[in-house]
Amino acid sequence: MRDEDYMGLALREAERARDEDEVPVGAVVVLDQTVLGRGHNQREALRDPTAHAEMIALSAAAEAVGTWRLDGATIYVTLEPCPMCAGALVNARIARLVYGAADPKAGACGTLYDIPRDGRLNHRLSVVGGIRGEECGLLLTSYFRKKRSPGSL
């Protein structure tokens, strides 16, 4: 499969989040063409500020391989990770991040910060942005447009 195909899996996770009335962000962790972990935002359902799609997918992947070290893995995320999630990617030793839409308000993978490529940290990962970015962004903007429309509360 290609990056675009794996991003399609992440988009399905984002749609699950939307259907659960969570901010529609999805993530999948892949190693050797095998999906190790999937996740979508669950902050509201779990009442957990750390329940971002990336964190859930990383935890599932670590469980699948039996270690927190995810050497060689790629994570596909529909939205550029925030500082917390970018730090988790570094700590998990992810090799590669592929994201869809840039996040001008909290993006920590090249937009506001560049945590994955910061040479001061003990691990760096490659970053590719904009894969199916328009589609990923549209999912988010349509969700927030609907949430902010009159009568949606």
Side-chain angles (χ1 to χ4, degrees), residues 1-124:
M1 288 181 28
R2 304 170 307 135
D3 286 344
E4 291 80 2
D5 300 320
Y6 288 116
M7 187 60 73
L9 299 178
L11 276 160
R12 283 191 217 140
E13 288 295 318
E15 290 165 353
R16 287 184 64 195
R18 178 202 58 208
D19 294 346
E20 295 169 11
D21 201 22
E22 299 272 0
V23 174
V25 177
V28 295
V29 177
V30 177
L31 179 64
D32 298 328
Q33 300 182 347
T34 300
V35 175
L36 299 177
R38 299 170 188 263
H40 59 276
N41 277 359
Q42 296 183 59
R43 292 190 305 173
E44 302 299 331
L46 299 177
R47 296 183 183 95
D48 180 352
T50 69
H52 290 200
E54 301 94 321
M55 303 298 276
I56 293 167
L58 287 173
S59 292
E63 180 71 23
V65 297
T67 181
W68 59 268
R69 290 178 185 88
L70 298 173
D71 295 309
T74 298
I75 188 166
Y76 295 85
V77 187
T78 58
L79 180 66
E80 179 183 2
C82 71
M84 174 185 69
C85 293
L89 300 179
V90 170
N91 286 325
R93 309 300 194 266
I94 291 287
R96 187 168 173 256
L97 161 66
V98 178
Y99 69 84
D103 186 348
K105 294 184 179 180
C109 300
T111 300
L112 295 179
Y113 307 100
D114 200 356
I115 292 169
R117 294 177 284 213
D118 190 324
R120 296 170 294 179
L121 300 175
N122 65 329
H123 176 75
R124 281 162 293 292

